[in-house]
Amino acid sequence: MTQSERRIYLLRELLKEQPRYQEIQIPADKEEQRHLLRSLFNVRMPDPVSDDFLKIQDEYLQEETARKGITDIADLTPIQDNLYLWQGDITTIHCGAIVNAANSQMLGCFWPCHGCIDNAIHTYAGVQLRATCAALMKKQGQEEETGKAKITPAFNLPCDYVLHTVGPIVSGSLQEKDRELLASCYRSCLELADSQGIRSIAFCCISTGEFHFPHDAAAEIAVATVKNYLRQKHSEMEVLFNVFKDEDYELYRKLLEPNGTAASGH
C-alpha cells in the first residue's frame, strides 16, 4: 500500500467505529486527510482494534515520522558532560526514552490536534499507547499522582520507551510546593530510567504549557535537578533537554552555557 492508501484505510476504519461519524466525508486534500486522521486518533477511546488495523497504522506512522526526519542523540554534541540541548519535535528523537508531560488520567490528550506534547506523543506512538496507559491506570485504580512517573513502550516512536509524568498545575503565584513537585517529576523519571537500564533520556519542558509553570523557573529546576541527580548517583546517563519554543531554547542555553556559546543541535 502507498502512504495515501494507508491513510484512506485508517480513516475509513476509524469512521466506521462510531455511528455519529457516518456523515463525515473523507476530504480529497492530503493535509486535510492528515488533520482528520489525527483528530480521530485523538478522540478514540482505548478500545480493541484488529491486527490488520495495527499493521497498517504502524506502517503509516513509522513512515510519517521518517518523513519528518529522525534525530539520534548519538549524533548530537553535549554542551556539558552527558547534557544536551536540542530544539525540535520530541516525537522524532531516537534515544532510550522520551518524557511525556501527562495529565492525571494518563490517557493522553483527547482535544483534536491540540498542540501539547501529550497529544503529539500519543498520536505518533499509535493507539496502542492509550490502550497500554488505560490498562496501567485500571490496575492502579486511581489517578496518577503529581511528581511520579510511569513507563510504557514507545510503540511507533523512534525511542524505546516513554516515561509519563504529571507535573504541577500553577494557578496564581508560584509556590514552593510547585517547585518541589516539578523537581520530583525529573527525579522520578531519572530513577525509573535508571531502574530499567535506560542510558539516554529526553525531557520536554514539563508543566510549562497548559499547566502554566513559569518557563524560567521551570528551566532552572530542570537543569539543577538533573545535574544533582547525575552527580549524586555518579550516573553516566545522557540527558537531552528538548525544547520547542525559542524562549525555552535561550533559557536552557544560558543555564547550560554560562559563556553564551551557541549550543549544539539547534
Side-chain angles (χ1 to χ4, degrees):
M1 295 176 78
T2 66
Q3 192 70 338
S4 178
E5 289 169 339
R6 293 185 188 109
R7 186 165 53 248
I8 295 297
Y9 168 87
L10 294 171
L11 283 166
R12 286 175 176 162
E13 290 299 305
L14 290 170
L15 289 172
K16 279 195 302 185
E17 284 186 338
Q18 295 290 338
R20 67 181 184 276
Y21 298 157
Q22 296 311 304
E23 301 303 316
I24 297 178
Q25 299 294 315
I26 296 175
D29 180 77
K30 180 172 62 175
E31 290 308 314
E32 290 180 10
Q33 289 176 5
R34 285 197 174 103
H35 188 275
L36 176 58
L37 180 57
R38 180 166 181 170
S39 298
L40 292 170
F41 276 141
N42 294 160
V43 300
R44 187 182 189 275
M45 298 303 291
D47 298 322
V49 70
S50 71
D51 290 342
D52 286 343
F53 182 94
L54 288 180
K55 178 178 183 296
I56 293 170
Q57 175 213 243
D58 292 355
E59 291 171 350
Y60 177 80
L61 291 175
Q62 288 169 26
E63 186 163 322
E64 285 295 286
T65 298
R67 180 178 64 86
K68 291 188 291 184
I70 295 171
T71 297
D72 195 322
I73 191 173
D75 295 331
L76 301 178
T77 303
I79 298 178
Q80 298 182 18
D81 288 346
N82 301 104
L83 297 179
Y84 300 75
L85 174 61
W86 184 77
Q87 183 175 16
D89 181 351
I90 199 168
T91 67
T92 64
I93 297 174
H94 178 234
C95 63
I98 63 172
V99 173
N100 178 31
N103 57 49
S104 59
Q105 288 78 37
M106 284 275 289
L107 296 180
C109 173
F110 283 85
W111 185 351
C113 296
H114 190 239
C116 68
I117 290 284
D118 200 14
N119 188 295
I121 287 174
H122 274 266
T123 296
Y124 292 101
V127 298
Q128 301 99 311
L129 183 56
R130 180 167 284 167
T132 299
C133 288
L136 281 175
M137 297 311 288
K138 183 178 180 181
K139 183 178 180 181
Q140 180 164 287
Q142 64 183 33
E143 292 189 349
E144 182 72 355
E145 292 181 48
T146 301
K148 306 295 184 183
K150 290 280 192 295
I151 187 169
T152 66
F155 298 104
N156 292 293
L157 297 170
C159 55
D160 297 322
Y161 298 96
V162 178
L163 302 173
H164 308 261
T165 189
V166 180
I169 300 173
V170 177
S171 55
S173 60
L174 188 64
Q175 304 297 314
E176 186 59 31
K177 182 65 173 177
D178 300 322
R179 295 175 178 273
E180 293 170 0
L181 286 170
L182 185 60
S184 179
C185 288
Y186 285 91
R187 280 194 303 272
S188 295
C189 288
L190 291 164
E191 289 168 356
L192 185 53
D194 258 338
S195 73
Q196 300 296 314
I198 294 168
R199 303 314 307 150
S200 58
I201 180 174
F203 280 104
C204 63
C205 300
I206 302 166
S207 275
T208 58
E210 296 298 310
F211 287 6
H212 307 298
F213 206 106
H215 290 246
D216 53 352
E220 290 170 5
I221 291 166
V223 171
T225 305
V226 167
K227 282 186 171 182
N228 287 339
Y229 180 89
L230 297 181
R231 182 177 63 253
Q232 291 168 4
K233 301 292 184 179
H234 305 289
S235 174
E236 293 297 317
M237 186 183 299
E238 294 181 300
V239 177
L240 185 152
F241 294 104
N242 167 247
V243 300
F244 194 73
K245 296 180 179 179
D246 291 343
E247 171 192 358
D248 290 316
Y249 182 84
E250 289 304 317
L251 287 169
Y252 276 90
R253 182 185 63 79
K254 288 174 183 176
L255 288 167
L256 292 165
E257 287 199 332
N259 296 327
T261 308
S264 300
H266 183 52

